[in-house]
Amino acid sequence: MNTTLVMDAENSVKELRAKYDQLRYAYSALLADNEALRKEAALAERLQAGKETSTEEALRVSNERYLYATKATFDAIWDWDIVNDHLYWGEGYEKIFGYKISGITENHIHSFDNIHPDDRPSVFAGIDELVAGTASNWMGEYRYKRVNGEYAYVQDRAVIIRDDAGKAVRMIGAMQDVTDRKMAEDAIRRSQEKFNSLVNTIDGIVWEADAATFQFTYVSDHAEKLLGYPKSDWTGDPHFWTSHIHEEDRQWVVRFCENYTRMKREHQFEYRMIAKNGRVVWLADFVSVVVEDDRPAKLRGVMVDITARKNAENELQQKNVQLKELSAHLQNVREEERRYLAREVHDELGQLAAVVKMDIDWIKIKMPELPENHAKRIAHASSTTDLLINTIRKLASELRPGMLDELGLNASLEWQCKKFEEINAVACGFECFFNDENLDTQVKTALYRVCQESLTNVKRHAHATKAMVTIYEKDAHIFLLIRDDGRGFEVAKKINTLGLIGMRERCVSVNGSLTIESEQGKGTAVCAIIPKQNSH
């Protein structure tokens, strides 16, 4: 019985001890959990305190940076609290516009009123669109009034801050004074307008081109008016100029311009270009070379329309050709008439005079015993007939010397010099350095008549003691030079006398020219110059 009770008691004690151990383990675990929770709570408190301190420090640094930025910049920085409708200005606002910040810190109405009335609608519209939309940036340029009443040009840039719902809550921006830039731009614009106005008053194409490629970099508005091509064609096509030059002029024009550009020399030339409608336009191009680093860099010039002048010149040239042809025709007609008259005078009158001479001589022979007074009359008639025959020969020779056709120009000139010396008692030499074979009749006649007229002038006006006639060939031209040692004259006063005009016309009729040199007391030199190609 006792053994049983003891055993039951021992078992109860063991059970109690087991429960005690369980309770003690549970209590220790609870204490451990409480400590962990306490430590976690303390850590959380420390972390929260550190976070708040870090945020405050970061905010402080950020504010300092913002404050320094507003002080350092010359821009007017502004910060608009959209929710509370407060506007904050940085110190640049006072620097640029002169307003005291303390009096306008939260008065954005004042700030908006300073925007130029003409610019407010566009500025307000831009800001309203940004606030109501989803964009984050805005920029505008407008005029803003300074404290002295003057307006400054500003460039305003802003960024907008939105909440999680996308609603605009804050807007930060910076106004930059761009007045100097705007004034410079306006000055450039006015200068450009003045330049364009001046350029477009010129009745020609003002242009600039690259010196190496000849590609236009600028042409005035007159380019389109003159040739019909838009300005974009001129500047866009690197080969526009060369490809639109008349094909007959293109090669020499390009080579001419290349050579003068290489030599860095100004140049001018005339050539033809083809207009858009196919019309041929004559241009006078005046070109200057812009040199940089001792190399041609640009070409600048003016193209002037000379089509009307060229047409007038061509028309005048055609008329001159017609006049030359008419003059030559009249000269030929006159020479033919002279030749005819010379032949008639020589043949008809000469023969009649010879018959009269023969009859008088027959009377002298057949009637030797005539009374003295009759014999004197017969003798007088005979001598008069001789004089008549000589006069007829001289007249025929002056009308058209037969030797000019029979013996040639050189012989005729030499004979003319001898006759001049015999008649006028003035020494007259002749020098010949030219072969007159196959010389054209018109050229022979023209040169002969020039010599004849020149010697006549020497006889009438020069009071010379000697004269010299020289004919020679040089540079594919025939030169006939008549010189004297007479008293000379002022060429300008005598240039349009009939004798000089006649000599000049004779030279022109065979595509030649006449030069006259004379000086008071130093004689005169007349020179006829005829292209040799006209002599065959």
Side-chain angles (χ1 to χ4, degrees):
M1 175 77 175
N2 291 334
T3 303
T4 304
L5 288 171
V6 172
M7 291 178 63
D8 290 337
E10 290 178 348
N11 289 333
S12 295
V13 171
K14 289 181 179 177
E15 291 176 0
L16 288 172
R17 286 180 176 174
K19 290 180 179 179
Y20 175 75
D21 290 337
Q22 291 176 353
L23 288 172
R24 188 176 64 180
Y25 177 77
Y27 178 70
S28 298
L30 181 60
L31 290 175
D33 290 341
N34 285 338
E35 182 64 19
L37 290 172
R38 187 184 66 77
K39 291 180 179 179
E40 288 179 0
L43 179 60
E45 289 178 1
R46 288 196 300 272
L47 290 174
Q48 181 64 30
K51 184 176 180 180
E52 290 176 357
T53 300
S54 176
T55 302
E56 290 174 359
E57 179 65 17
L59 182 59
R60 182 186 64 80
V61 172
S62 176
N63 286 336
E64 287 181 355
R65 287 175 178 169
Y66 179 76
L67 181 61
Y68 287 138
T70 61
K71 289 174 181 276
T73 183
F74 285 98
D75 294 349
I77 297 177
W78 51 271
D79 187 346
W80 180 26
D81 181 353
I82 299 175
V83 177
N84 297 311
D85 202 15
H86 288 172
L87 181 65
Y88 170 79
W89 285 102
E91 292 186 11
Y93 185 74
E94 185 173 337
K95 296 176 184 176
I96 297 177
F97 304 109
Y99 298 105
K100 297 296 183 182
I101 299 175
S102 57
I104 59 168
T105 302
E106 296 180 353
N107 186 359
H108 67 278
I109 298 300
H110 160 83
S111 302
F112 290 159
D113 286 346
N114 288 332
I115 298 174
H116 194 285
D118 294 343
D119 298 337
R120 286 177 198 165
S122 61
V123 174
F124 291 166
I127 293 175
D128 290 344
E129 183 180 355
L130 179 68
V131 171
T134 59
S136 59
N137 294 285
W138 172 80
M139 184 185 76
E141 287 192 3
Y142 52 91
R143 289 161 289 179
Y144 197 88
K145 187 166 66 176
R146 303 182 196 269
V147 71
N148 62 4
E150 296 178 354
Y151 280 91
Y153 281 94
V154 297
Q155 184 180 78
D156 203 352
R157 298 174 182 269
V159 61
I160 198 161
I161 301 172
R162 303 182 186 277
D163 58 17
D164 294 339
K167 181 180 178 181
V169 296
R170 189 177 177 187
M171 192 173 179
I172 301 172
M175 296 169 63
Q176 182 182 15
D177 185 359
V178 295
T179 304
D180 290 343
R181 191 200 77 193
K182 275 289 187 180
M183 291 179 65
E185 290 176 351
D186 287 345
I188 293 173
R189 177 184 54 79
R190 289 193 299 269
S191 177
Q192 185 66 39
E193 290 175 352
K194 185 177 180 180
F195 171 78
N196 289 335
S197 177
L198 178 63
V199 163
N200 290 326
T201 60
I202 298 174
D203 190 19
I205 302 171
V206 179
W207 58 268
E208 182 181 74
D210 184 270
T213 64
F214 296 155
Q215 181 176 1
F216 291 107
T217 55
Y218 169 83
V219 291
S220 60
D221 294 342
H222 199 70
E224 186 168 350
K225 177 182 176 182
L226 182 58
L227 293 178
Y229 303 100
K231 293 168 62 176
S232 57
D233 287 1
W234 288 73
T235 56
D237 182 0
H239 305 294
F240 179 86
W241 182 59
T242 54
S243 62
H244 290 84
I245 298 174
H246 194 286
E247 60 180 358
E248 294 180 3
D249 299 339
R250 185 177 301 132
Q251 186 174 0
W252 77 261
V253 166
V254 173
R255 188 184 304 114
F256 179 89
C257 197
E258 286 175 343
N259 291 339
Y260 273 83
T261 301
R262 191 181 306 111
M263 293 185 291
K264 308 169 201 172
R265 291 173 54 186
E266 294 183 355
H267 49 284
Q268 64 183 63
F269 48 115
E270 298 177 357
Y271 56 94
R272 291 165 292 180
M273 288 189 73
I274 307 301
K276 190 173 183 179
N277 60 4
R279 184 172 60 95
V280 175
V281 179
W282 272 98
L283 296 174
D285 209 344
F286 303 86
V287 186
S288 63
V289 182
V290 180
V291 179
E292 296 178 1
D293 298 328
D294 200 34
R295 298 179 61 185
K298 297 177 181 178
L299 300 178
R300 291 176 182 150
V302 180
M303 297 178 183
V304 180
D305 182 6
I306 58 170
T307 305
R309 191 198 82 189
K310 280 291 184 179
N311 290 339
E313 287 178 355
N314 290 335
E315 184 177 353
L316 181 61
Q317 187 176 7
Q318 291 176 359
K319 289 183 178 179
N320 286 336
V321 170
Q322 292 174 353
L323 287 174
K324 284 172 60 178
E325 292 175 350
L326 177 60
S327 176
H329 174 69
L330 292 176
Q331 295 286 356
N332 291 335
V333 169
R334 184 163 59 181
E335 289 300 327
E336 287 298 323
E337 289 178 350
R338 286 188 172 194
R339 183 183 289 108
Y340 171 77
L341 289 175
R343 185 171 56 250
E344 291 297 311
V345 167
H346 182 272
D347 293 347
E348 297 297 329
L349 293 182
Q351 288 180 11
L352 292 175
V355 170
V356 172
K357 172 66 173 175
M358 291 172 62
D359 288 343
I360 293 173
D361 289 343
W362 183 86
I363 293 175
K364 288 170 60 177
I365 295 171
K366 297 297 183 180
M367 303 176 68
E369 297 178 356
L370 283 174
E372 182 179 356
N373 60 336
H374 291 177
K376 289 181 179 180
R377 297 289 295 177
I378 293 296
H380 181 266
S382 178
S383 61
T384 301
T385 305
D386 290 337
L387 179 62
L388 175 61
I389 293 172
N390 290 332
T391 302
I392 290 173
R393 290 175 179 173
K394 180 182 176 182
L395 181 61
S397 176
E398 288 179 353
L399 285 171
R400 177 71 183 183
M403 66 174 61
L404 187 62
D405 298 319
E406 298 170 2
L407 301 178
L409 176 64
N410 293 340
S412 299
L413 293 176
E414 185 176 9
W415 172 81
Q416 191 176 53
C417 291
K418 289 180 179 180
K419 294 295 291 182
F420 176 84
E421 184 173 337
E422 291 175 1
I423 296 172
N424 300 289
V426 175
C428 185
F430 175 70
E431 296 178 325
C432 178
F433 305 98
F434 170 68
N435 186 351
D436 63 353
E437 292 182 4
N438 301 319
L439 193 61
D440 182 79
T441 301
Q442 284 184 263
V443 174
K444 287 192 297 185
T445 303
L447 291 175
Y448 180 83
R449 294 303 181 190
V450 168
C451 183
Q452 187 179 47
E453 182 65 28
S454 296
L455 291 178
T456 300
N457 289 335
V458 171
K459 178 181 68 173
R460 291 177 179 175
H461 311 294
H463 298 277
T465 60
K466 61 181 178 180
M468 176 63 71
V469 176
T470 306
I471 186 169
Y472 62 97
E473 178 182 349
K474 182 181 178 182
D475 299 330
H477 285 76
I478 304 169
F479 292 78
L480 175 64
L481 177 62
I482 303 99
R483 294 167 293 170
D484 68 69
D485 63 351
R487 62 184 180 178
F489 62 94
E490 294 183 28
V491 177
K493 293 182 177 181
K494 302 290 185 178
I495 194 68
N496 290 322
T497 59
L498 292 177
L500 296 181
I501 290 175
M503 288 192 288
R504 191 178 301 111
E505 287 183 353
R506 287 189 178 276
C507 292
V508 170
S509 69
V510 287
N511 298 317
S513 61
L514 185 78
T515 64
I516 301 172
E517 296 179 2
S518 186
E519 189 175 345
Q520 290 283 358
K522 294 186 179 181
T524 302
V526 176
C527 186
I529 307 170
I530 310 296
K532 190 177 179 182
Q533 62 188 19
N534 292 334
S535 63
H536 298 288

